Amino acid sequence: MTAEIDRAMGFAPDYDSPIPYMQRTREYYRAIGYDPYRWAHYREVPFSPLRKPLAESRVTLITTAAPFDPAKGDQGPGAPYNSSAKFYEVYSGRTDEEHDLRVSHIAYDRKHSPATDMHAWFPLQAMRDAAAAGRIGALTEHFQGAPTNRSHRHTVETDCPEILSRCLRDGADVAVLVPNCPVCHQTVSLTARHLEQHGIPTVVLGCAKDIVEHCGVPRFLFSDFPLGNAAGRPHDAGSQAMTLELALRLLETAVGPRTTLQSPQRWDETGEWKLDYLNLEQIGAEELARRKEEFLRQKAIAKDLREKAA
């Protein structure tokens, strides 16, 4: 009967909805023996309106991607989760130089994202193009790298103030923030809130709708794509330009906090890719056991790196 109604009404299948990342993450980590993660959640959301037109504004970019380091193991497309490639302090890079930023250190969608085009998660070139066209006034001298910390306290009390300090030093009028993994989405949401509290308007470009909206941000451009493609489809300059333009329009048109705009772009026709990410219904017992063992191994690596960085 349900199938008949769907055909008659032209309904899409229920799975073709934004992935419930918080629910899946909660169930997944419970299944491998860990307590559910506490996702940041606020009632009140700060909001700073644009102080001048974007064509006169200096815009900064904040990313959770990591600079490639050949000494840190496999960081290429499809590389397994690589804790060795993680970074634990805010870093800066010049926007007038070329960079090689990777996402092997975070839990992006390794099954459905090819991870072969940095511009899908790091829209520096699209922002350069926007500046050249006069759509934005200029880029700041630097972009900022935000560490993906599971610790809310460390993100809020250490990383957010450091990013704010660097943005102010660069004279940023506006910030564009681009996350990749589930915790990345929380990181940039907390960062956006901090920047807004100090007068810098922000827009988050992301793929994990529930995490961003649960935390609460001023402006959010949601792309219903696999994690790791928040800046547009890989190897599709038109998609990437459209994604940035939608984000810029949101900056101009939002009249208050918690304003979400969904991109009309689709990843594919079926949406079946949404059935896979951390979905226990798709993971057998043997594979789950393997993942638990690997998780423990990567956790030990990360702990060692944090201790060395302290």
Side-chain angles (χ1 to χ4, degrees):
M1 179 63 73
T2 300
E4 293 177 3
I5 293 174
D6 287 356
R7 284 194 295 271
M9 300 301 297
F11 290 162
D14 286 343
Y15 65 74
D16 196 2
S17 301
I19 292 177
Y21 286 102
M22 291 191 299
Q23 175 188 337
R24 288 198 189 170
T25 302
R26 186 180 301 118
E27 293 173 352
Y28 179 84
Y29 283 101
R30 182 182 290 119
I32 63 173
Y34 290 88
D35 292 332
Y37 184 65
R38 175 65 165 101
W39 294 98
H41 180 52
Y42 295 92
R43 292 190 181 93
E44 302 299 323
V45 178
F47 182 83
S48 291
L50 291 178
R51 291 171 290 181
K52 50 188 171 182
L54 283 177
E56 301 173 11
S57 298
R58 189 179 298 275
V59 183
T60 196
L61 171 61
I62 298 171
T63 179
T64 59
F68 172 66
D69 183 342
K72 293 182 177 180
D74 188 1
Q75 298 150 72
Y81 184 87
N82 183 354
S83 292
S84 298
K86 293 180 77 69
F87 61 98
Y88 295 95
E89 295 181 350
V90 175
Y91 75 89
S92 299
R94 291 187 60 89
T95 56
D96 60 355
E97 296 177 354
E98 299 306 314
H99 301 273
D100 184 0
L101 301 189
R102 308 286 181 97
V103 291
S104 66
H105 65 298
I106 48 182
Y108 74 95
D109 191 331
R110 283 170 166 77
K111 181 172 182 178
H112 296 286
S113 175
T116 51
D117 180 15
M118 176 179 65
H119 303 107
W121 62 77
F122 181 61
L124 179 58
Q125 186 56 53
M127 293 176 69
R128 287 171 176 164
D129 294 342
R135 183 67 176 90
I136 60 176
L139 291 175
T140 54
E141 185 176 356
H142 303 90
F143 69 87
Q144 308 301 333
T148 300
N149 280 302
R150 289 182 173 85
S151 168
H152 311 93
R153 184 178 299 278
H154 194 280
T155 297
V156 171
E157 297 182 357
T158 301
D159 297 335
C160 288
E162 179 61 24
I163 291 172
L164 172 64
S165 176
R166 297 186 186 210
C167 287
L168 292 175
R169 192 158 58 238
D170 257 8
D173 298 306
V174 175
V176 173
L177 302 94
V178 187
N180 295 286
C181 69
V183 177
C184 292
H185 281 74
Q186 177 176 259
T187 294
V188 302
S189 295
L190 293 171
T191 304
R193 293 175 57 87
H194 190 78
L195 295 179
E196 295 270 348
Q197 288 167 348
H198 292 83
I200 298 179
T202 66
V203 60
V204 173
L205 282 63
C207 300
K209 188 171 188 285
D210 60 335
I211 294 172
V212 176
E213 292 186 337
H214 187 72
C215 183
V217 300
R219 306 166 191 81
F220 174 42
L221 175 67
F222 170 56
S223 293
D224 201 4
F225 288 171
L227 295 174
N229 301 279
R233 290 194 196 89
H235 307 290
D236 186 340
S239 171
Q240 294 161 13
M242 179 181 181
T243 300
L244 178 61
E245 175 57 26
L246 289 171
L248 297 178
R249 291 182 191 178
L250 183 55
L251 278 162
E252 294 172 323
T253 59
V255 296
R258 294 191 183 276
T259 301
T260 296
L261 174 64
Q262 179 165 340
S263 170
Q265 302 178 78
R266 285 184 60 83
W267 185 255
D268 61 23
E269 289 301 316
T270 70
E272 292 179 354
W273 61 270
K274 301 177 189 181
L275 292 168
D276 293 323
Y277 190 88
L278 293 189
N279 188 349
L280 291 178
E281 294 180 4
Q282 308 288 335
I283 304 172
E286 184 176 339
E287 172 63 13
L288 192 64
R290 186 198 67 79
R291 292 191 186 191
K292 179 177 181 178
E293 183 178 342
E294 178 62 15
F295 178 80
L296 290 171
R297 190 177 75 85
Q298 294 293 340
K299 187 176 181 180
I301 293 172
K303 180 181 178 181
D304 183 59
L305 289 172
R306 283 196 303 271
E307 290 174 351
K308 289 179 178 177

